[in-house]
Amino acid sequence: MSDDLDDLKAMMRAATPKPDADRKAADLALARKNFADLQEARDGARQTSDRPKAGLVRGVTDMLMRMNTRGALTATTALVALGMVVVVPDWQNAPALRGAQPVVTEADGDMADAVRRKAPAPEAAEEMVLDVAPAEPAPEAEASRPVPMPSPQVARPESGLANQRQMAPQAMQSQALSDAEGYAGSAANTAPVGRIAPRNADDGVVLPETDTEAFAEATPNALKITGEEPVSTFSIDVDTASYGVVRSSLRAGYLPPRGAVRIEEMVNYFPYDYAAPEGDAPFEPTVSVTDTPWNPDTKLVHIAIQGEVPPVADRPPLNLVFLIDTSGSMQAANKLPLLKQSLALLLPQLTERDSVAIVTYAGSAGQALAPTPATERETILGALDRLEAGGSTAGQAGLQQAYALAGEMSGEGEVSRVILATDGDFNVGLSDPEALKDYIAQERESGTYLSVMGFGRGNLDDATMQALAQNGNGQAAYIDTLSEAQKVMVDQVSGALYPIADDVKIQVEFNPAAVVEYRLIGYETRALRREEFNNDRVDAGDIGAGHKVTALYEITPVGSPAQMSDPLRYGAAEAVRGDAGELGYFKLRYKAPGEEESRLIEQAIVEGSGAGPEARFAAAIAGFGQLLRGETYLGDWGYAEAIALANGAKGEDPFGYRAEAVQLMRLAESLSR
């Protein structure tokens, strides 16, 4: 056998030509010129310094660099001597490489020199005969069709959600995502981290995905002249989603979109130390008057409502249907994975009288978990852990199935609630907010409540979420971290799940003899007509156990230099109704859960009822929101004044929410410069 090998070596040595340095230099120069022409970079360097770190070419190069010259020549010549078949891939039509171009940089110089030293001389190349398998040209349509990208999978802990309850609280907090992790960049159409980028149909190049976020832009409430329009009417709002979106934006390094800033939701995000209700009413409003921080010539009317907190034993059984968006847009780590963790935090708050079911929707809706006692946590967590994102968003089908399932679960004296967890991206079935509003308005007649929890950024459809929550007898929250999930699902779970009053409306009549102008700060999307206040068929906001509601009016007293409107030349004398010392009259209507007829609470608004630190902090947040929206009523009052006011009214702040707000004000101040 050794004789045969010796003969083969002799053949190889005989077949190996002597190198021709001049021929090699000429061919190398021609190759460089042709390559530059192909790259359209003849007069300049390539615009990237990155080069492939792996692959066939790099692997062969490394192999050759580790061989001596004789060994390399022996190996390459042996391929020819033994008549081996070399198959050249169809680079033009190979799907994974179509549109790709080789990358050569200055950093590749050593590698190129090494390849030239190890490669056979040009004469040898001319003598090589390659048996190449010809590639069949792809049809034109196939060649131009973009290649679908595989869906990235989010890694999940092997232990699954079923074992998370065994983790220490510190370990749970360590899994919390940073606010900017799921959304990097500015407000100018920046693609969120972890999203699949679309491919250009013309050249197959992967491009950043366009920002498709949608917010319900509402015109700020106008200044009203009391003599012309003395009555203001609106539905209460306990949603907090806007504050979460504002926080997510600021921590990602940019000011939030104007439409994302709803001042009432920012103010109502915080717990306040309001007076507890007395008597049979589920709450008792407190109305006070204080100086306006940004204008010494106006006043703030501060309306505070504190909902009662019934004992746990008196709470009705809950039937919860988790309606979970598992569409492709939910793949990012701050969407479906965070959603699973958030719902896992909720389960320990439920009792043996409560039941849970899971409905998912993507390309189509499906039941992932039949109604199950809330105490069977292993079963519920296992069903959550198996959920994966993929497909389009059949929101309508999911809502229909969730409502039907909630109806089947409901019983006498029980509360049924659908908890929709989504990024708001409805693209199959009903997707228009107005159409969804009509559909939800029909479904709420069944008595089932709807709460909406938003996750992630980049394609957050806030307008759709608002249409669902405001018309589904429920609330909307935005969860961007596990800490926020703790606040919504644990600390404030009573308000999120147990209703104490439905269709709560507020109406204020200002006294034209005492107040010349006024404006309601926020609540633009909750405005009602004057006649709708007494109409019990008109839907309004709902209050849960322990909920706190805050509303602020800025008023201009008669004779104040802050008056912005001129008196009418031909205006009639204004008649004074009621006590001349009254600034206005406050009225509130609400329904007890399950009742059809509303009840009325009313009281006068009088001067001299001063406000404490709770009202001052609420005013600081209201000013913060107006600054973010760029409103014109604040004069020279800015972020520094808002920060000082908030710091002076933080109070005990046991959970650090108010301290966090001050930090957000500081970020906004820096970003606005």
Side-chain angles (χ1 to χ4, degrees):
M1 187 64 181
S2 60
D3 293 340
D4 293 338
L5 290 176
D6 292 338
D7 292 341
L8 179 59
K9 290 178 182 179
M11 289 173 54
M12 290 180 178
R13 283 193 292 270
T16 302
K18 295 181 179 179
D20 184 340
D22 294 336
R23 177 71 177 273
K24 180 177 71 172
D27 288 346
L28 181 59
L30 179 60
R32 286 175 172 169
K33 176 180 178 299
N34 291 337
F35 183 79
D37 290 343
L38 289 172
Q39 299 302 301
E40 298 180 356
R42 180 183 299 176
D43 298 327
R46 293 293 306 279
Q47 297 181 7
T48 176
S49 61
D50 296 329
R51 67 176 188 269
K53 301 301 182 184
L56 178 62
V57 175
R58 183 58 184 253
V60 172
T61 302
D62 290 345
M63 178 187 73
L64 293 176
M65 293 180 68
R66 286 170 172 77
M67 299 175 64
N68 58 34
T69 303
R70 181 176 298 276
L73 293 175
T74 299
T76 54
T77 309
L79 296 177
V80 180
L82 296 177
M84 296 183 66
V85 176
V86 178
V87 178
V88 178
D90 179 7
W91 302 102
Q92 181 64 29
N93 297 310
L97 300 174
R98 187 179 304 132
Q101 297 289 344
V103 179
V104 175
T105 67
E106 294 296 330
D108 291 325
D110 294 340
M111 182 188 76
D113 290 340
V115 173
R116 288 194 293 271
R117 288 195 300 270
K118 304 300 182 182
E123 294 85 351
E126 292 175 357
E127 295 175 5
M128 291 182 182
V129 179
L130 302 180
D131 186 4
V132 179
E136 296 182 7
E140 183 176 349
E142 283 291 319
S144 63
R145 187 172 61 189
V147 181
M149 293 290 291
S151 299
Q153 297 297 317
V154 179
R156 294 175 294 160
E158 292 183 2
S159 59
L161 285 172
N163 294 328
Q164 285 191 3
R165 68 187 188 284
Q166 299 174 2
M167 302 170 62
Q170 295 84 353
M172 289 289 289
Q173 289 296 329
S174 69
Q175 293 188 17
L177 304 168
S178 70
D179 296 272
E181 183 177 356
Y183 193 87
S186 69
N189 292 344
T190 304
V193 176
R195 297 285 305 284
I196 303 176
R199 298 180 67 88
N200 187 302
D202 295 328
D203 56 17
V205 176
V206 177
L207 300 174
E209 184 172 40
T210 301
D211 184 348
T212 60
E213 290 192 338
F215 297 94
E217 182 71 37
T219 303
N221 288 323
L223 187 73
K224 304 291 186 181
I225 299 174
T226 310
E228 300 173 357
E229 194 174 343
V231 178
S232 171
T233 309
F234 64 96
S235 162
I236 63 96
D237 189 359
V238 292
D239 294 345
T240 60
S242 178
Y243 184 84
V245 174
V246 167
R247 176 180 57 202
S248 172
S249 298
L250 292 173
R251 287 189 172 176
Y254 65 94
L255 294 173
R258 178 186 175 94
V261 182
R262 290 185 290 275
I263 296 173
E264 71 279 5
E265 294 187 21
M266 295 182 64
V267 172
N268 286 324
Y269 177 83
F270 301 91
Y272 296 94
D273 186 17
Y274 292 155
E278 298 179 358
D280 297 333
F283 44 75
E284 181 175 351
T286 301
V287 184
S288 57
V289 182
T290 186
D291 293 335
T292 304
W294 49 84
N295 192 336
D297 297 316
T298 64
K299 299 285 186 180
L300 284 184
V301 175
H302 178 261
I303 299 171
I305 299 175
Q306 170 69 62
E308 66 175 352
V309 183
V312 176
D314 295 341
R315 295 175 182 174
L318 279 172
N319 300 306
L320 300 180
V321 179
F322 297 155
L323 176 55
I324 300 177
D325 182 352
T326 55
S327 63
S329 64
M330 293 290 290
Q331 294 179 86
N334 64 339
K335 293 190 178 183
L336 185 58
L338 179 59
L339 184 160
K340 294 178 182 180
Q341 292 176 321
S342 302
L343 294 181
L345 292 178
L346 171 62
L347 293 180
Q349 314 308 313
L350 305 179
T351 69
E352 67 279 356
R353 299 188 302 158
D354 305 325
S355 298
V356 172
I358 300 176
V359 172
T360 65
Y361 65 95
S364 59
Q367 181 175 295
L369 178 70
T372 303
T375 51
E376 296 185 13
R377 295 179 192 169
E378 294 283 347
T379 302
I380 299 170
L381 291 173
L384 284 172
D385 196 39
R386 289 191 294 271
L387 301 181
E388 295 183 355
S392 55
T393 317
Q396 178 186 3
L399 283 169
Q400 289 172 336
Q401 185 164 353
Y403 270 114
L405 188 56
E408 296 173 4
M409 297 169 64
S410 63
E412 185 68 28
E414 299 178 349
V415 174
S416 294
R417 183 179 295 271
V418 173
I419 298 179
L420 170 60
T422 178
D423 60 2
D425 189 9
F426 279 41
N427 53 38
V428 175
L430 290 176
S431 57
D432 177 70
E434 287 301 317
L436 282 168
K437 175 180 176 179
D438 294 339
Y439 172 74
I440 296 299
Q442 296 174 3
E443 292 295 333
R444 71 168 177 254
E445 299 301 325
S446 66
T448 298
Y449 294 83
L450 173 67
S451 295
V452 183
M453 297 180 183
F455 291 82
R457 297 295 301 275
N459 66 331
L460 180 69
D461 192 342
D462 178 79
T464 297
M465 291 174 55
Q466 289 298 309
L468 292 170
Q470 291 188 8
N471 294 280
N473 286 353
Q475 299 88 42
Y478 174 74
I479 296 178
D480 52 345
T481 65
L482 200 59
S483 296
E484 183 65 15
Q486 171 83 13
K487 177 179 183 290
V488 175
M489 302 291 195
V490 179
D491 300 338
Q492 299 174 356
V493 67
S494 295
L497 299 180
Y498 298 95
I500 59 174
D502 296 341
D503 295 338
V504 183
K505 310 169 191 174
I506 288 176
Q507 187 171 83
V508 176
E509 179 186 356
F510 288 102
N511 182 358
V515 178
V516 65
E517 297 166 339
Y518 69 91
R519 68 183 180 98
L520 175 61
I521 302 176
Y523 290 93
E524 286 85 359
T525 64
R526 295 284 190 166
L528 296 174
R529 294 191 298 271
R530 178 175 176 177
E531 65 272 17
E532 291 179 323
F533 180 75
N534 292 322
N535 187 348
D536 286 345
R537 295 176 60 87
V538 174
D539 181 63
D542 304 285
I543 293 181
H547 264 153
K548 308 168 196 299
V549 182
T550 303
L552 296 168
Y553 283 94
E554 182 178 4
I555 62 173
T556 305
V558 170
S560 169
Q563 181 175 344
M564 301 181 69
S565 59
D566 292 331
L568 295 177
R569 179 181 178 88
Y570 304 106
E574 296 166 339
V576 178
R577 297 184 224 170
D579 190 330
E582 294 179 359
L583 295 176
Y585 201 72
F586 167 85
K587 295 190 289 186
L588 181 147
R589 282 197 178 276
Y590 73 95
K591 297 176 185 174
E595 293 186 0
E596 298 295 328
E597 186 175 345
S598 65
R599 307 180 187 185
L600 178 66
I601 298 175
E602 51 190 340
Q603 68 178 77
I605 303 173
V606 296
E607 182 78 65
S609 51
E614 303 299 274
R616 293 199 302 272
F617 186 82
I621 299 301
F624 178 31
Q626 292 176 87
L627 289 170
L628 290 174
R629 290 182 60 89
E631 295 188 7
T632 59
Y633 295 103
L634 303 183
D636 296 331
W637 196 84
Y639 286 106
E641 289 77 12
I643 291 169
L645 181 59
N647 271 327
K650 278 195 300 188
E652 295 183 1
D653 193 24
F655 300 109
Y657 300 143
R658 299 188 178 188
E660 177 191 64
V662 173
Q663 293 300 318
L664 295 181
M665 291 179 188
R666 296 181 61 202
L667 278 174
E669 181 182 28
S670 298
L671 293 170
S672 62
R673 290 173 180 169

